[in-house]
Amino acid sequence: PELMGVFLYFLRHGQTAYSLTGGYCGTPENDPGLTPAGLAMAREFADSYATLPWTAAYVSPLRRAVETAEPLCHRCQLEMQLREGLREVMYGRWEGMHPTAVDREHHDEYVAWLTDPAWYAPIGGERAVDIARRSAQVLDEIEHTHSSGHILVVSHKATIRIMLCTLLGIDVGRYRDRLDMPVAAVSVVELARRGPLFHTIADRSHLSEALRSLPST
């Protein structure tokens, strides 16, 4: 049957050293690549999804996202469209720190951020409304560029959850409370005639049991 809408496949990057520990990393200066397990996750995603008739791939320019997209893009001869709007939250002075250290050294600011991340930023970092604004520009570009097709969107834990909240009509300040998004999870949203239609959220069935069982934050 003919595709009537655009199908967005939101893919969180594979495992990194930071996703194992829960440390904060969002800037190009603090840009880890994938672990060997993370690279295997990227390959297994490509193995499962390469048969789809892909139209385009929009990817965060951070290294872990590019490395996650690479196996599928190489196999399907897709050119990566790198978009700054898909980057992870910039954590300012908290970059590279673990949440326990942030709580210890910046307790009041940390509690304020946990309570209302939409309007309160990490010290020197970004608010959820800032991420919603820049990522929405990418979604608008996709919607105006493609009238149908399968579109890969490779991004990060917070950014994907904020985009999904935007599409679902959920307050972006509740992104941590409403959606889980482990590494290498894929969420499928159709931009249908009557608005976004969610088909799948945080699916990892494309991963082997060994990779699914690894710890993830």
Side-chain angles (χ1 to χ4, degrees):
E2 182 183 355
L3 275 175
M4 298 303 294
V6 174
F7 289 78
L8 303 177
Y9 293 74
F10 294 93
L11 175 64
R12 185 186 172 196
H13 62 77
Q15 185 194 77
T16 70
Y18 278 88
S19 75
L20 278 172
T21 65
Y24 296 134
C25 60
T27 64
E29 295 75 30
N30 185 28
D31 189 13
L34 299 180
T35 62
L39 293 169
M41 291 174 179
R43 290 193 297 270
E44 291 190 4
F45 173 79
D47 289 342
S48 294
Y49 283 88
T51 55
L52 283 179
W54 291 101
T55 303
Y58 292 80
V59 182
S60 160
L62 295 179
R63 180 180 168 195
R64 55 196 181 274
V66 171
E67 290 181 353
T68 300
E70 198 280 331
L72 182 85
C73 288
H74 177 74
R75 190 176 304 187
C76 299
Q77 297 184 310
L78 277 175
E79 181 182 355
M80 285 188 213
Q81 307 291 327
L82 301 182
R83 294 295 183 271
E84 291 290 327
L86 298 176
R87 282 186 298 96
E88 180 60 296
V89 178
M90 289 194 293
Y91 289 97
R93 284 169 55 188
W94 302 354
E95 283 288 336
M97 297 177 67
H98 189 273
T100 55
V102 174
D103 186 31
R104 183 175 61 249
E105 297 178 26
H106 307 285
H107 177 74
D108 291 348
E109 293 87 354
Y110 184 60
V111 170
W113 178 65
L114 291 178
T115 303
D116 188 13
W119 295 100
Y120 197 94
I123 301 169
E126 289 181 294
R127 305 168 301 175
V129 292
D130 301 320
I131 295 128
R133 186 178 300 113
R134 62 171 164 81
S135 60
Q137 292 174 349
V138 181
L139 296 179
D140 288 344
E141 177 189 356
I142 291 171
E143 190 167 11
H144 286 97
T145 305
H146 306 281
S147 58
S148 65
H150 296 83
I151 313 293
L152 180 65
V153 180
V154 185
S155 186
H156 307 267
K157 185 178 184 180
T159 308
I160 289 175
R161 290 187 291 176
I162 288 168
M163 286 191 285
L164 295 182
C165 282
T166 299
L167 291 168
L168 273 168
I170 297 173
D171 174 7
V172 295
R174 302 272 67 82
Y175 72 89
R176 285 194 296 259
D177 306 324
R178 299 292 179 262
L179 296 167
D180 190 23
M181 198 58 56
V183 289
V186 63
S187 303
V188 184
V189 181
E190 179 185 358
L191 300 183
R193 288 177 176 174
R194 299 183 65 180
L197 177 63
F198 278 61
H199 291 270
T200 306
I201 294 180
D203 178 57
R204 304 174 89 213
S205 60
H206 52 280
L207 299 180
S208 65
E209 178 59 35
L211 291 178
R212 283 200 306 271
S213 66
L214 294 175
S216 170
T217 62

